[in-house]
Structure formats: C-alpha cells, structure tokens
Amino acid sequence: MTEKLVFPSDEWIEKYVDALNKNARYEDAAKTWEGDFVFQIDADGKTIPEDVRFYLDLWHGKCRSARMAGPEDTAEFVYAGPLSNWKLLFDGKIDPIKGIMARKFKLTGDMGKVMRYTKAALELVATTREIPTKYLDE
Amino acid sequence: MKLVWWFSVPKIVFGDDALSELEIIQGERAIIITDKVVNGLGLADTVSNKLCERQWSTAIWDGAIPDPKVSTVKEAAEAMKQFGADWIIAIGGGSVIDTAKAAWVLYEKPDVQLDALTPFDILGLRAKAKLVCIPTTAGTGSEATKAIVIRDDETGRKFATINPELTPDLALLDPTFVVGLPKDFTAYTGMDALTHTIEGYISVWKNDFSDGCSLQAVKMIFNWLPKSVEDLSDLEAREKMLVAACLAGMSFGNSQAALAHSLGHSMGSVLRLHHGLSVGMALPYTIEFNCRDNEDCASQYAELAGIIGITGKDHVKVSMKLAEAVRDLMGKIGSPRSFAEAGVTRDIFDEGLERLVEFAMMDSSLTMNPRNTDSHEIRKMYEYMFEGKVIDF
Ligand SMILES: NC(=O)c1ccc[n+]([C@@H]2O[C@H](COP(=O)([O-])OP(=O)(O)OC[C@H]3O[C@@H](n4cnc5c(N)ncnc54)[C@H](O)[C@@H]3O)[C@@H](O)[C@H]2O)c1
Ligand SMILES: [Fe+2]
C-alpha cells in the first residue's frame, strides 16, 4: 500500500507538483494563467494552533515552484478555509468556486481573473485526488 | 448533509392584467430601459402611460443593442443618473434586461468594473433604485435570474457573471408584449429556454428547487414552443412559453447553466450568432457528450426524457433519444441544428475556430458541467456541430 502523505507538508507538495505538471488537462486549461497562490488551512485553536500555509507559483499551465509558507508570505491570491472544508473539497463534495459562494472558503485577490479560469481551478483540485493524503488531524 | 445554498427569485406577476402591478408599486421616477425595436412597438409608452396616470415622472432610454456591450451599459447608467431614477423598468428581450441590470450596478456603484464583477461582491444595490423586468421574448428568463451577459468592447468576448443582488425585484409576464416577436426569434429564444431548463437540471450545482422548475418547464416547452412558432398570434401559447421561460430561468438561475452555454456564448462572441440559436444548436451535442461519461447525468437526462414520453432502462440510450427529440423539435420550429444550417460557411468557421475554443474554455459555465472537458474535445465538438454529426466520443 502506498504511504499516505500529510496534507500539507513538503512531501505532499512535492508529489502534488509532480502530478500537476503531468496533468495535461490542467496545462490545457491554464495555458495562459499567470499568478501565484498561497493556500491556507485556518487555525482552529485545537489540532491546528496556527494557520498552515503553502505556496504555489502557477505559470502558463505549470507549477514553477512550490513550498510550505509562513504567515509573512504573500501572493497574488490567497485561498483559505478550515481543514474540514479542505476535506470536503478534496473529496469532491464541493467545488472550489461553489465553496467560495457557500462561504466555506475565502479568496482574496482579483476574483474576476479567477472566474475566467474556473476550469483550471477544478483541475488543481482534481489533481489532489492522485495523492494518497492524510490530514493534519489524523 | 448538503452545502448551504439559496433559491432566489423575484416576485413574479402573471396572467391577465399582470401590468396592473404597476398601479401599486411605490415610487416617483421610473426610467424605462428598452431598445428601438421594442420602443417602436409602443410597449414602453404603454407602461409609461400607466405610471403617468399616477403622477410619476418617466423617461424612456431606448439605446440597448443585441448582446449589450460595456460601453452601451455605461450610457444606460448615465441616463439613469441624469434622470435620478428610483425605479428601473426593463422592457425587452435578454439584451435589454441585461443592459438594465448591469447599468443598475453602475448607477448604484459607479466604480465597479463589470468584467471583474463576481458572485462574491457585495454591491449594496437598491440604495437608489429597484428593478422591474417585463420580458418581450420568451427565452432568456433573465427577468428571474441573478445573471448578466455582457460583451467586452475590445475583444468582443461575451462574459457571463452572477451576483445574488442582481435578482430583479419584480417580473411582469404579459403575453401581449411578446406577440410582436417574429418567427425566427420566437424559435431561437424558445430554444434558449429549453437549454436553460435542461442544463439547470444536469448542472453540478442543481438542487431540489431548481429541479422542480426544470421538470415543469421541459413539459411546457415541448408542448407549447411548436405552437407558438406555428401561430405567432396564439396568445395562449405565448403565455405558456413566457411562463416556461421564466421557470427555466428560475431553474438555471439557481443552479447555473453548463457546457451548451459555454459553447453558445463563444458562438455569440466570435460569429455574432443569436444567443438562443447558439445554445440551442449546442444543446443536443452536449447531451450526447455528457451522457457517455457520467451515469448520474445520464439518469438525469432520462428523467427529463420521461416527461416527454421517452423511456427505457439504458439511460445512455434514452439520453441519446432525448438529444434526437431536441433535434426534431429544432427541425420543426426552424432553429438551425448545425453551423452549416445556420449559414456559417466553412471559411468563416475555420477562421473563427481558434477563438471559439479559446473563449469557450474561459466561460464560467464550464465549471458546472457534469463531464470534464478540455480544449481538444471542445474543438472536436464544434467540428461535429459544423456538419451536424452525432457525438460519438
Ligand atoms: N441574464 C440572463 O440570465 C441571460 C440568460 C440567457 C441569455 N441572456 C442574454 O440575453 C441576450 C439575448 O436575449 P434575447 O434572446 O431575448 O434576444 P434580444 O433581447 O437580443 O432580442 C433579439 C431581437 O428581437 C427584438 N425583439 C425583442 N422583443 C421583441 C418583440 N416583442 N417584438 C419584436 N421584436 C422584438 C430585439 O429588438 C432584437 O432585435 C443575449 O445577450 C444573451 O447572452 C441572458
Ligand atoms: Fe441562455
């Protein structure tokens, strides 16, 4: 059985970037996308004492660089929500755009730009399903 | 448990003398937003006269154009400001209604960039004015939705966006306002309504409320669209289609449209084909495409097919028959089933194909389509649509 990787962690991010850069559908949908993201798992005062963040630099259908990030790291977009909602997202129970509408996630940055690339956003999420994942609270 | 969601619709007034609602609304200054064709039919005057009897001040702005551009919307917003409207009354097809909705945003919030407007923005509409919509086409259902579709002046790209505050306050459905609509537009706008009701039912954002509206609308459209095209003065058929289009708007407005709209918006942008003609043409192909890969979606199409008497155990086969029934309906009412039938030549098609694919890929309705697609499949779909070939991939 493949070992499950903790989301998020350096190992998880490495596997994820690898999978994303092989995802032809992502490349196709994001071929003109330019913009970096910080993704944030919100602190819950229990298992997650402080916000956990990671960074992806997405450029023309590929991820140019990625790493765990700190509170001071910024990017053009920040997508944030509690761990329980990240689980719903990865399980396909909510999509990334509906998630914002239903107030499960918060997106800061030019939302109009994201709305022109919703296909790419769906592929970003779909790619997580290729990574055997366990969560910070497991 | 289901994710929190909303079902929003305006107050809808229908039936005999729906316009009498104008006798009870409270206000002083109404600006009527319309276009030259509709204004020429005297419909704006009918409404204006009703309000003037109650000592309202009214103004008529008739500068709307088909598939409104940002610049046209700005002109309408300026007219609202000059007049100091406390009610906006849109009288027209989807182009007029969307012009009014988008101009309303700029009237209330002049700094908003329309192409950056998202479902998540808090606009604070209604501080200055409320919105009444009186549709003169039985198609877009825009009188019942929080959606707007606007065209970028420079690129010509039509962009669709939704915002919860954009649901009109009031929709008045009066069939006498639709009788003037010629045969071709009656057919095309009816196909838009059918596309809304079917896509609203298979969208991944579907919900029980939108489903209820779709089920009734499908039944009504298959029954009444041919009649309303056959006899343009059949007031009963006009009224039923007006109600069905509004129900279809209530459906997709709360669950969103899907692939046929992405393909169709792009056709409107690049080839300047009418919206209903475009999404209607795309509809059967998208049914054939979506049902292959997704059992849930196929069973949803099968539920709709059941309403018009197509049944069977194999949901994919039933879905394919539903697509065939849609094509038959289009044949009957004279709505083109292929680019060739729509008079698009091979040269024009080839020249536009790259941009057709590019714009379709950028269209937000793709998010709600049950089957994942990529640009290669979209290109192939357009190719099949050129020749009128049944989708087999
Ligand atoms: N906001 C939404 O929810 C929504 C939904 C679907 C479509 N749309 C948009 O709506 C637009 C299309 O609207 P439409 O299909 O209603 O067509 P339209 O408003 O563009 O009108 C088509 C033509 O018919 C004429 N016309 C309208 N009513 C008439 C009448 N009663 N008698 C004679 N002529 C009449 C118009 O002047 C115009 O020339 C597109 O831009 C489309 O993208 C919006
Ligand atoms: Fe439509």
Side-chain angles (χ1 to χ4, degrees):
Chain A
M1 212 183 90
T2 351
E3 197 198 338
K4 288 190 174 175
L5 304 175
V6 176
F7 168 77
S9 63
D10 289 329
E11 299 73 35
W12 189 94
I13 292 170
E14 192 187 330
K15 269 259 181 314
Y16 177 74
V17 171
D18 211 34
L20 188 66
N21 284 338
K22 285 189 192 129
N23 180 340
R25 281 186 187 272
Y26 172 72
E27 183 172 14
D28 178 51
K31 60 180 169 238
T32 50
W33 173 267
E34 300 175 356
D36 54 359
F37 268 89
V38 163
F39 295 95
Q40 173 174 309
I41 299 93
D42 295 339
D44 61 5
K46 289 178 284 187
T47 359
I48 304 162
E50 278 166 18
D51 296 340
V52 178
R53 293 154 71 89
F54 63 103
Y55 171 88
L56 297 185
D57 181 8
L58 302 169
W59 185 267
H60 293 192
K62 295 282 179 199
C63 178
R64 293 196 296 195
S65 73
R67 57 184 161 75
M68 291 300 289
E72 68 292 345
D73 283 299
T74 54
E76 188 178 344
F77 297 95
V78 178
Y79 191 75
L83 185 62
S84 53
N85 295 343
W86 282 97
K87 290 182 186 174
L88 290 174
L89 183 71
F90 287 7
D91 287 349
K93 300 255 164 49
I94 51 180
D95 70 56
I97 307 298
K98 194 174 186 184
I100 305 173
M101 290 192 67
R103 299 192 285 258
K104 301 288 170 196
F105 287 94
K106 251 175 85 175
L107 177 73
T108 35
D110 175 356
M111 299 204 229
K113 180 167 161 183
V114 173
M115 292 306 288
R116 290 195 293 279
Y117 290 88
T118 53
K119 266 287 301 161
L122 296 183
E123 288 300 333
L124 279 176
V125 173
T127 306
T128 63
R129 280 174 216 130
E130 293 174 33
I131 321 295
T133 299
K134 67 178 174 197
Y135 296 95
L136 282 171
D137 59 354
E138 286 172 10
Chain B
M1 215 171 64
K2 278 257 180 214
L3 208 60
V4 58
W5 208 238
W6 302 264
F7 183 76
S8 47
V9 292
K11 177 177 181 185
I12 297 164
V13 189
F14 58 100
D16 193 29
D17 209 14
L19 285 195
S20 63
E21 189 74 11
L22 293 171
E23 291 161 19
I24 59 164
I25 61 172
Q26 295 301 316
E28 286 170 4
R29 300 179 71 77
I31 186 162
I32 294 170
I33 303 294
T34 186
D35 65 23
K36 300 234 159 28
V37 177
V38 173
N39 197 13
L41 297 170
L43 301 176
D45 285 336
T46 305
V47 169
S48 175
N49 293 342
K50 254 193 178 322
L51 291 168
C52 289
E53 280 168 21
R54 294 177 56 216
Q55 276 69 52
W56 284 52
S57 301
T58 62
I60 297 174
W61 181 89
D62 68 357
I65 53 165
D67 296 334
K69 291 188 200 166
V70 174
S71 56
T72 322
V73 169
K74 285 184 176 158
E75 286 167 27
E78 185 55 32
M80 290 172 185
K81 185 174 144 197
Q82 292 295 330
F83 184 68
D86 59 8
W87 278 89
I88 297 161
I89 305 185
I91 308 177
S95 297
V96 163
I97 296 178
D98 284 5
T99 303
K101 283 172 160 178
W104 182 30
V105 173
L106 297 183
Y107 174 44
E108 302 256 2
K109 288 267 148 112
D111 295 336
V112 168
Q113 284 284 111
L114 286 176
D115 60 353
L117 182 67
T118 73
F120 324 112
D121 296 327
I122 294 175
L123 296 169
L125 297 185
R126 297 174 174 79
K128 292 183 182 162
K130 291 185 181 175
L131 176 67
V132 187
C133 296
I134 311 178
T136 65
T137 64
T140 72
S142 181
E143 70 279 6
T145 74
K146 49 181 164 291
I148 47 172
V149 188
I150 307 293
R151 192 155 45 107
D152 183 82
D153 283 74
E154 268 167 41
T155 63
R157 186 175 82 89
K158 284 176 74 175
F159 54 92
T161 190
I162 53 173
N163 184 284
E165 293 180 49
L166 280 169
T167 307
D169 294 279
L170 197 56
L172 306 184
L173 308 183
D174 182 333
T176 62
F177 277 52
V178 191
V179 246
L181 193 66
K183 212 177 188 93
D184 50 356
F185 282 126
T186 303
Y188 307 160
T189 52
M191 284 310 298
D192 190 20
L194 182 64
T195 310
H196 293 157
T197 194
I198 293 183
E199 293 213 293
Y201 199 73
I202 55 96
S203 152
V204 299
W205 292 9
K206 83 204 290 296
N207 54 74
D208 290 330
F209 291 93
S210 59
D211 283 357
C213 299
S214 273
L215 292 170
Q216 178 65 3
V218 161
K219 185 163 112 190
M220 291 175 77
I221 294 168
F222 271 97
N223 192 12
W224 292 102
L225 179 55
K227 292 180 183 133
S228 75
V229 173
E230 212 169 281
D231 176 2
L232 298 178
S233 60
D234 181 341
L235 261 191
E236 187 185 11
R238 291 291 198 183
E239 171 154 39
K240 293 289 186 188
M241 275 308 296
L242 204 47
V243 170
C246 188
L247 276 168
M250 289 164 61
S251 170
F252 96 96
N254 289 286
S255 62
Q256 302 314 307
L259 181 59
H261 270 77
S262 299
L263 298 174
H265 285 149
S266 190
M267 288 155 69
S269 306
V270 178
L271 302 170
R272 300 290 304 115
L273 292 172
H274 178 264
H275 174 78
L277 182 160
S278 304
V279 299
M281 189 200 294
L283 178 65
Y285 302 88
T286 60
I287 295 174
E288 290 156 358
F289 177 76
N290 285 336
C291 75
R292 296 181 161 268
D293 184 57
N294 186 320
E295 173 49 31
D296 282 350
C297 178
S299 74
Q300 288 155 10
Y301 284 133
E303 282 162 15
L304 295 177
I307 292 178
I308 55 163
I310 303 170
T311 52
K313 286 213 175 73
D314 181 334
H315 291 158
V316 175
K317 279 194 187 140
V318 175
S319 302
M320 297 300 279
K321 282 192 190 152
L322 174 66
E324 212 176 295
V326 171
R327 284 206 179 84
D328 287 349
L329 174 70
M330 291 162 84
K332 211 186 284 177
I333 63 174
S335 200
R337 293 161 294 190
S338 64
F339 282 107
E341 274 188 18
V344 176
T345 62
R346 186 79 226 187
D347 286 352
I348 291 176
F349 177 78
D350 286 344
E351 199 186 309
L353 187 57
E354 271 322 300
R355 282 175 79 224
L356 278 174
V357 175
E358 182 195 338
F359 287 173
M361 282 295 288
M362 284 166 106
D363 190 83
S364 50
S365 301
L366 273 190
T367 324
M368 280 68 72
N369 196 60
R371 179 171 170 189
N372 202 352
T373 56
D374 62 22
S375 63
H376 310 290
E377 286 162 342
I378 284 181
R379 178 174 291 105
K380 209 164 152 189
M381 242 178 284
Y382 277 133
E383 284 287 357
Y384 275 51
M385 283 169 67
F386 185 83
E387 293 173 27
K389 261 170 72 176
V390 171
I391 299 283
D392 55 7
F393 57 91

